[in-house]
């Protein structure tokens, strides 16, 4: 179709400069016109970016150096908020410990289950789409209050899990009201939602050419060797993507902890996720400046994690070009 | 040589004994059941008499009674019907906003050239990673000063400004796959960029628009944090907030009503999932496979 726009081959030599000049002018007006048009298309996003994202991000950086209660004007406090967070805030320390434990337990477990199930599903089975749908469903329901309500009952002292255990003659603890176990119920909830990384793993597994496995089998490579030498290396870009996305999501987890602990992060701060603590400071005590400082620290923690992932990726992520 | 290899390659999968694939199916079926068991149990609990909920692990109620549904529905000062209407209004407006605003931005990024394009595109991708907590408090202050707190505006208006960058990203991926020749031909015929967007790109992009619409609906429907912050009067509550209030109001005493309302709150999600499973799964799969 683009060949239509080229000057016909029989065009006289004299006509060529004119055509070129016309073409250039046309291109120029087109470029100017379309860049104006482009900004019309971009306008909603651009306005949103400036008013709702970039502007607020900068303003929250400013607020993090102030005391602000929504009623009085923000009062400059210098580094006070950050100093208090660093030296004199046990709840901050609890929330960081809880969140890191949650991230470091739930993300690797979730990815391992997701990869294992994806490999089981990748054997050219019948009924693949049914299994895939069933395994994906919990991911879709995950952030709703209903699922948190369900979890609260599952792990209650007289809940479903303990009733099942009783069938085996085991008397389970009251998982949710026990500070030693409460966080693990949330880890299990997160792992239960392995569906979306599983689907991405499945798509990745499909991209691995079958003849590599044929060749490995010819050479007598065992199943586990095939996994460590072929599947996993070929899958590292997908592992990387899933790890980054799931880690960021895990840092932001909120609803399940809020509902299960009744908004307190208890018992004894054992489920005080960072986001829950931030919410308490901002909308419980209206310490907006302090909460803004907490938000910026969260941003830094997530950025460090992401930067670390990208830097380390050089050593373990293989892109076959 | 290659012929032999090809022949063997054909041979190999057939050698897999039947019992192994049966074993895989049994394993997967058992695992599927274990994963769905809690949800099925909640459904069954919502149909049981209240006293019978605890102590039972079976999925089949000894007697089915629907009483918990009306009890839960009218269990608060405001009925769940109102919460459903509120959630639906917010979700539908969010879908419209997201699809319209994100497709406009995605069209500019995928199909037009303009100064600073790469700069804005990089910033857009950057917002994908930005935790919303960073903008949360100033946004709240802004909406408070606009007098929007305790209305649905803070939950809906940002969607019309394409704040969900994920959808822009998804659409850019899709738009880039549409042959450039189509735009050029349309431009030759004197089409303005807006006509190209409306008449060429959008009709060819229905799958990705539908995917974005469905995800947008589900995420808004399930959202708890936004309504928790911005909605104060019970008349404005969404289903998720209604469930939370139900826990607070009735405590542990009305489990069957709580389960009944929880099940109902999942119904729209289930329905969308059943009808649009393929789109949802493809949408997830493509995000990880650039």
């Amino acid at each position: 179709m683009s060949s239509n726009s080229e000057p016909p081959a029989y065009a006289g030599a004299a006509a060529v400069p004119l055509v070129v000049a016309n073409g250039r002018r046309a291109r120029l007006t087109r470029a100017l016109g379309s860049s104006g048009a482009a900004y019309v298309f971009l306008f909603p996003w651009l306005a949103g970016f400036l008013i709702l994202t970039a502007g607020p991000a900068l303003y929250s950086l400013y607020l993090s150096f102030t005391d602000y209660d929504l009623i009085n004007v923000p009062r400059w406090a210098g580094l006070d908020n950050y100093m208090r967070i660093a030296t004199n805030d046990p709840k901050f320390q609890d929330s960081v410990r809880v969140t890191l434990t949650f991230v470091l337990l739930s993300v690797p477990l979730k990815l391992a289950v997701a990869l294992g199930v994806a490999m089981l599903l990748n054997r050219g089975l019948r009924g693949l789409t049914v299994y895939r749908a069933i395994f994906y469903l919990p991911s879709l329901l995950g952030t709703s209050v209903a699922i948190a309500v369900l979890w609260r009952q599952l792990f209650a002292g007289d809940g479903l899990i303990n009733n099942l255990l009783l069938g085996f003659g085991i008397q389970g603890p009251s998982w949710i009201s026990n500070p030693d176990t409460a966080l693990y119920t949330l880890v299990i909830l997160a792992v239960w939602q392995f569906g979306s990384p599983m689907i991405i793993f499945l798509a990745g597994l499909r991209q691995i050419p079958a003849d590599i496995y044929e060749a490995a089998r010819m050479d007598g490579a065992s199943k586990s060797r095939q996994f460590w030498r072929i599947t996993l290396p070929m899958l590292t870009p997908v592992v990387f993507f899933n790890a980054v996305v799931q880690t960021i999501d895990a840092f932001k987890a909120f609803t399940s902890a809020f509902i299960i602990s009744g908004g307190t992060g208890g018992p004894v701060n054992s489920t005080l996720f960072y986001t829950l603590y931030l919410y308490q400071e901002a909308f419980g005590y209206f310490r907006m400046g302090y909460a803004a400082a907490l938000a910026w620290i969260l941003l830094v923690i997530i950025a460090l994690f992401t930067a670390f992932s990208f830097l380390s990726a050089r050593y373990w992520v293989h892109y076959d070009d | 040589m290659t012929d032999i290899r090809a022949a063997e390659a054909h041979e190999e999968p057939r050698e897999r004994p039947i019992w192994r694939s049966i074993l895989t199916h049994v394993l997967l079926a058992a695992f599927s059941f274990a994963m769905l068991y809690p949800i099925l149990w909640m459904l069954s609990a919502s149909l049981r008499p209240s006293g019978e909920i605890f102590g039972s692990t079976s999925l089949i109620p000894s007697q089915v009674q629907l009483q918990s549904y009306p009890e839960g529905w009218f269990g608060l000062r405001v009925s769940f019907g109102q919460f459903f209407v509120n959630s639906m209004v917010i979700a539908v407006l969010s879908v419209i906003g997201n699809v319209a605003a994100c497709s406009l931005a995605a069209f500019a990024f995928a199909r037009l050239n303009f100064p600073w394009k790469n700069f804005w595109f990089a910033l857009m991708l950057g917002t994908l990673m930005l935790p919303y907590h960073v903008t949360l408090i100033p946004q709240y202050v802004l909406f408070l000063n606009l007098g929007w707190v305790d209305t649905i505006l803070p939950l809906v208006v940002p969607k019309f400004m394409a704040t969900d960058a994920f959808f822009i990203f998804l659409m850019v991926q899709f738009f880039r796959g549409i042959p450039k020749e189509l735009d050029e031909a349309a431009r030759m015929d004197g089409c303005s960029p807006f006509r190209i967007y409306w008449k060429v790109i959008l009709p060819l992009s229905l799958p990705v628009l539908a995917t974005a619409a469905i995800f947008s609906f589900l995420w808004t429907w399930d959202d708890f944090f936004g309504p928790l912050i911005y909605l104060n009067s019970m008349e404005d509550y969404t289903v998720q907030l209604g469930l939370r209030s139900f826990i607070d109001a009735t405590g542990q005493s009305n489990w069957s009503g709580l389960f009944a309302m929880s099940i109902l709150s999942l119904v729209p999600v289930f329905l969308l999932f059943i009808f649009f499973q393929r789109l949802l799964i493809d949408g997830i799969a493509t995000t990880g496979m650039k």
Side-chain angles (χ1 to χ4, degrees), chain B residues 159 214 245 274:
Chain B
K159 314 283 167 142
I214 295 159
S245 304
I274 289 166

Side-chain angles (χ1 to χ4, degrees), chain A residues 149 152, chain B residues 72 243 246-247 250-251 254-263:
Chain A
V149 164
R152 222 170 69 125
Chain B
L243 281 179
F246 200 85
I247 304 176
T250 62
N254 191 356
W255 277 104
S256 54
L258 180 57
F259 287 152
M261 291 308 101
S262 297
I263 290 289

Side-chain angles (χ1 to χ4, degrees), chain A residues 141-203:
Chain A
L141 303 176
T143 55
S144 60
V145 171
I147 294 300
V149 164
L150 170 62
W151 231 250
R152 222 170 69 125
Q153 199 287 330
L154 275 185
F155 289 96
D158 50 359
L160 186 55
I161 296 287
N162 280 349
N163 276 323
L164 287 172
L165 287 177
L166 221 53
F168 297 96
I170 303 167
Q171 180 59 56
S174 50
W175 306 90
I176 283 174
S177 47
N178 182 343
D180 294 330
T181 51
L183 182 58
Y184 300 107
T185 66
L186 292 167
V187 171
I188 294 170
L189 174 54
V191 175
W192 183 63
Q193 295 156 11
F194 66 85
S196 76
M198 176 203 70
I199 283 165
I200 295 171
F201 276 136
L202 250 178

Side-chain angles (χ1 to χ4, degrees), chain B residues 1-246:
Chain B
M1 181 67 184
T2 48
D3 283 347
I4 295 168
R5 203 172 280 185
E8 275 183 2
H10 262 282
E11 211 74 3
E12 200 84 44
R14 277 175 222 291
E15 272 175 30
R16 181 186 294 162
I18 262 221
W19 63 265
R20 278 199 56 179
S21 79
I22 291 176
L23 193 70
T24 315
H25 272 294
V26 170
L27 204 68
L28 285 170
F31 194 47
S32 305
F33 179 73
M35 283 195 66
L36 293 188
Y37 178 69
I39 302 173
L40 295 172
W41 183 88
M42 181 158 79
L43 176 63
S44 131
S46 73
L47 298 170
R48 273 177 231 264
S50 226
E52 218 183 88
I53 288 181
F54 290 95
S56 174
T57 54
S58 113
L59 292 182
I60 298 143
S62 67
Q63 69 179 104
V64 175
Q65 53 117 16
L66 293 169
Q67 213 176 305
S68 351
Y69 283 83
E71 270 174 24
W73 190 266
F74 299 110
L76 294 171
R77 185 169 53 77
V78 178
S79 88
F80 262 84
Q82 183 67 48
F83 302 151
F84 271 89
V85 169
N86 296 340
S87 278
M88 203 54 88
V89 167
I90 294 173
V92 167
L93 287 175
S94 299
V95 168
I96 296 170
N98 265 334
V99 171
C102 294
S103 69
L104 284 171
F107 178 76
F109 284 131
R111 308 300 275 198
L112 301 174
N113 277 315
F114 52 94
W116 296 78
K117 174 169 153 173
N118 291 337
F119 172 75
W120 294 121
F121 191 66
L123 282 179
M124 190 276 289
L125 289 182
T127 61
L128 276 174
M129 289 204 193
L130 190 76
Y132 61 85
H133 308 87
V134 170
T135 54
L136 172 71
I137 289 158
Q139 276 189 17
Y140 185 85
V141 175
L142 174 70
F143 292 136
L144 189 68
N145 287 329
L146 288 172
W148 287 7
V149 169
D150 211 14
T151 73
I152 65 166
L153 292 173
L155 302 173
V156 166
V157 172
K159 314 283 167 142
F160 285 85
M161 297 163 97
T163 45
D164 280 329
F166 172 77
F167 297 126
I168 304 181
F169 173 70
L170 205 64
M171 290 177 191
V172 165
Q173 301 269 83
F174 192 93
F175 290 176
R176 277 184 180 156
I178 298 171
K180 276 263 185 225
E181 284 82 0
L182 290 176
D183 302 30
E184 311 222 325
R187 200 167 295 157
M188 286 298 138
D189 294 343
C191 278
S192 67
F194 189 79
R195 265 183 84 84
I196 296 174
Y197 160 81
W198 190 250
K199 293 279 183 182
V200 178
I201 301 295
L202 285 194
L204 289 172
S205 306
L206 291 180
V208 76
L209 300 180
T211 303
I214 295 159
F215 270 116
S216 185
F217 185 94
L218 294 177
W219 291 349
T220 317
W221 186 268
D222 280 345
D223 185 24
F224 174 66
F225 193 72
L228 177 68
I229 291 177
Y230 288 115
L231 302 178
N232 302 327
S233 330
M234 197 177 261
E235 285 74 16
D236 298 331
Y237 276 11
T238 61
V239 172
Q240 309 294 333
L241 283 188
L243 281 179
R244 204 281 295 249
S245 304
F246 200 85

Side-chain angles (χ1 to χ4, degrees), chain A residues 231-311:
Chain A
T231 312
L232 208 53
M234 297 285 280
L235 222 49
T236 46
V238 186
V239 175
F240 176 68
F241 176 86
N242 275 338
V244 170
V245 169
Q246 294 300 327
T247 305
I248 294 177
D249 272 2
F251 269 114
K252 295 193 289 196
F254 176 82
T255 304
S256 51
F258 184 94
I259 295 295
I260 288 174
S261 72
T264 63
V268 209
N269 294 345
S270 61
T271 60
L272 185 68
F273 281 6
Y274 195 91
T275 52
L276 190 47
Y277 180 46
L278 196 155
Y279 168 81
Q280 288 178 354
E281 283 295 316
F283 300 98
Y285 305 112
F286 295 101
R287 290 197 278 256
M288 293 292 172
Y290 200 68
L294 287 173
W296 271 87
I297 290 170
L298 178 66
L299 174 67
V300 170
I301 294 175
I302 291 180
L304 284 178
F305 254 83
T306 315
F308 172 76
S309 313
F310 274 89
L311 286 177

Side-chain angles (χ1 to χ4, degrees), chain A residues 4-86:
Chain A
N4 288 347
S5 61
E6 279 161 23
Y10 53 80
V16 168
L18 185 69
V19 168
V20 170
N22 272 343
R24 191 178 298 152
R25 195 178 310 144
R27 225 178 301 140
L28 193 70
T29 49
R30 202 189 295 155
L32 277 179
S34 82
S35 89
Y39 275 98
V40 174
F41 281 94
L42 214 54
F43 180 74
W45 173 79
L46 199 56
F49 175 76
L50 296 174
I51 300 169
L52 296 174
T53 307
L58 291 176
Y59 190 58
S60 88
L61 184 60
Y62 162 73
L63 282 183
S64 75
F65 296 105
T66 66
D67 282 338
Y68 183 40
D69 58 4
L70 279 185
I71 297 159
N72 301 299
V73 191
R75 191 180 57 79
W76 185 257
L79 286 172
D80 284 4
N81 291 330
Y82 290 98
M83 290 298 285
R84 211 189 109 204
I85 289 169

